[in-house]
Amino acid sequence: MRYLLMCCFDEKRWEAIPESQRDAIMQEYGALIQGLDKSGHHLAGAKLQSSSMTTTVRSRNGKLVVTDGPFVETKEQLGGILILEANDLNHAIQLMSKHPGVRGGPFEIRPAADLTEMIRD
C-alpha cells in the first residue's frame, strides 16, 4: 500500500538552529532515504521551499482566484513530502519513526489511493 507522508515543521525554529546542526540533520535524512531506497519502500519525495513561496489556487463564484502565501497561517508549515510503499499503516509508522524530522514536528500519514485503473485509456 502507498502512503503519503507530509512533514510539518516550524520554519523559524529551523532557521534558528545552527547551520552545522541543520547539515547534520539533513545528512541523517539522506541516510534514511538511501536505506528506504535500498529496501524498496521509498517511491518519491521532495523538500519544499519556504512557505513564503506558496501560491494558493481556489475557485470562488466560478472564478479562479490565485493568492500568494499559504491558505492557512499556522505555526508549522508543510516542509516536505514522501511517498512510501508499506505493508500497512503500522509499517509506515515504523519506517518513519527514524526520520529526523519527527523530532522537530509532526508527520501526517495518509493512505494514497491507486488511481491507475481510473486514468487508463
Side-chain angles (χ1 to χ4, degrees), residues 5 12 14 23 33-34 36-37 41 44 65 69-70 76 81 83 93 97 102 108 110 112-113:
L5 295 95
K12 290 179 183 174
W14 174 255
D23 289 345
I33 295 303
Q34 284 180 344
L36 291 171
D37 278 336
H41 295 295
V65 178
E76 295 167 336
I81 61 166
I83 299 175
I93 292 169
S97 67
V102 188
E108 185 174 325
R110 288 193 200 177

Side-chain angles (χ1 to χ4, degrees), residues 21-74:
Q21 284 182 304
R22 289 193 312 249
D23 289 345
I25 291 168
M26 292 308 293
Q27 286 178 353
E28 188 178 348
Y29 167 75
L32 173 73
I33 295 303
Q34 284 180 344
L36 291 171
D37 278 336
K38 287 180 184 176
S39 67
H41 295 295
H42 180 249
L43 300 178
K47 179 183 181 294
L48 301 178
Q49 292 188 15
S50 167
S51 64
S52 66
M53 302 294 293
T54 301
T55 299
T56 300
V57 179
R58 67 178 70 105
S59 177
R60 280 203 183 129
N61 301 320
K63 293 184 180 181
L64 186 64
V65 178
V66 180
T67 56
D68 291 336
F71 177 67
V72 178
E73 292 292 328
T74 63

